[in-house]
Amino acid sequence: VLSKLESLNIEPNQLEIFFRAFKKEQVLEIRAKNKSDETFQKLIEYDFCAFSGVLGPKRREGDRQIPEGVYFINRFNPKSKFHLSLGLNYPNDSDLILSDKDAPGSDIFIHGGCQTIGCIPITDDKIREVWVLAEMAKKNGQTQIPVHIFPFKMTESNLENHLKIMPQFEEFWKNLMPIYQFFEEQKRLPNIKVLKEGDYQIL
């Protein structure tokens, strides 16, 4: 982990991180920067080692879906039955509006092992690296580690192709797309709020 940071001139005691996950590509991407830097650099990416559900957001307990949207790490579980796990704040404010009101689901993690019913598993050895990075960022005062989960890399052509197959997600995916594009263009995080309809809005 330290050698990876050094290669990008990132100081361990200045580390901030950001996660992006792409369901179609089954990749978890780790971006990093020094606190004083404006933009993130790509540090490393990890392949999912298992997958459940289909493309599209998580909307109810038991649907086996990996969520799609804007999240952050809200808990560290060193005693996970999947070796180590980092919990996401699912359901977030958008999910609470758009998902099943009584049973939207819960307990979504990035974790070790290779089993999943809606989480992101990346094997034990890889979760150890991610855990170390997250602990370092937390120790440096990063109280929220952002995690953006997209159905796929949201280029215009990818969106067009996937909407031919899954047109029911057009409104939701077109709402996510500006968040993806903002980071692709600027390599920094947008400020986002959730509207009363459940949509995300870049401020």
Side-chain angles (χ1 to χ4, degrees):
V1 167
L2 292 175
S3 66
K4 290 183 175 77
L5 293 174
E6 185 178 0
S7 71
L8 297 179
N9 296 314
I10 295 173
E11 298 291 336
N13 63 357
Q14 293 295 313
L15 175 67
E16 288 188 1
I17 57 175
F18 162 52
F19 298 170
R20 290 199 304 178
F22 301 100
K23 291 168 59 174
K24 174 70 174 179
E25 293 82 0
Q26 296 190 29
V27 164
L28 176 68
E29 180 184 279
I30 312 296
R31 297 275 179 159
K33 71 179 187 70
N34 293 302
K35 284 184 179 181
S36 57
D37 297 336
E38 288 191 6
T39 58
F40 284 90
Q41 302 180 71
K42 186 175 180 180
L43 181 65
I44 193 169
E45 65 180 33
Y46 302 96
D47 293 334
F48 298 7
C49 66
F51 187 85
S52 69
V54 296
L55 300 188
K58 181 175 183 61
R59 290 294 179 240
R60 58 182 173 80
E61 184 79 41
D63 62 7
R64 302 177 64 88
Q65 287 289 91
I66 297 171
E68 295 172 9
V70 176
Y71 302 97
F72 60 85
I73 300 297
N74 67 353
R75 59 204 186 279
F76 288 64
N77 182 10
K79 297 181 179 179
S80 170
K81 64 181 179 180
F82 299 106
H83 187 49
L84 299 166
S85 62
L86 299 170
L88 303 186
N89 68 318
Y90 177 90
N92 65 14
D93 290 344
S94 172
D95 300 316
L96 290 171
I97 295 167
L98 298 176
S99 300
D100 186 286
K101 297 297 185 285
D102 297 320
S106 61
D107 290 337
I108 302 297
F109 293 90
I110 300 167
H111 62 61
C114 281
Q115 296 175 306
T116 179
I117 49 171
C119 297
I120 297 175
I122 57 171
T123 74
D124 290 355
D125 61 328
K126 293 172 183 174
I127 193 62
R128 285 197 288 270
E129 287 192 10
V130 174
W131 182 277
V132 168
L133 288 164
E135 283 279 16
M136 289 169 63
K138 182 181 176 184
K139 185 177 180 181
N140 292 337
Q142 188 175 4
T143 57
Q144 289 190 357
I145 297 170
V147 182
H148 293 181
I149 305 177
F150 297 104
F152 43 81
K153 293 186 177 180
M154 301 197 80
T155 62
E156 295 283 355
S157 59
N158 273 351
L159 180 65
E160 181 180 352
N161 289 335
H162 284 91
L163 285 178
K164 291 175 184 176
I165 305 166
M166 308 179 91
Q168 68 270 32
F169 298 127
E170 180 173 5
E171 184 178 351
F172 180 72
W173 284 349
K174 285 186 174 179
N175 183 234
L176 285 184
M177 194 168 178
I179 299 169
Y180 171 85
Q181 291 175 325
F182 184 99
F183 186 83
E184 284 295 292
E185 293 168 3
Q186 303 197 32
K187 299 298 184 285
R188 61 185 182 89
L189 291 168
N191 293 317
I192 299 166
K193 74 173 184 177
V194 174
L195 303 178
K196 63 180 181 180
E197 300 84 6
D199 291 341
Y200 296 105
Q201 183 181 70
I202 296 176
L203 300 177

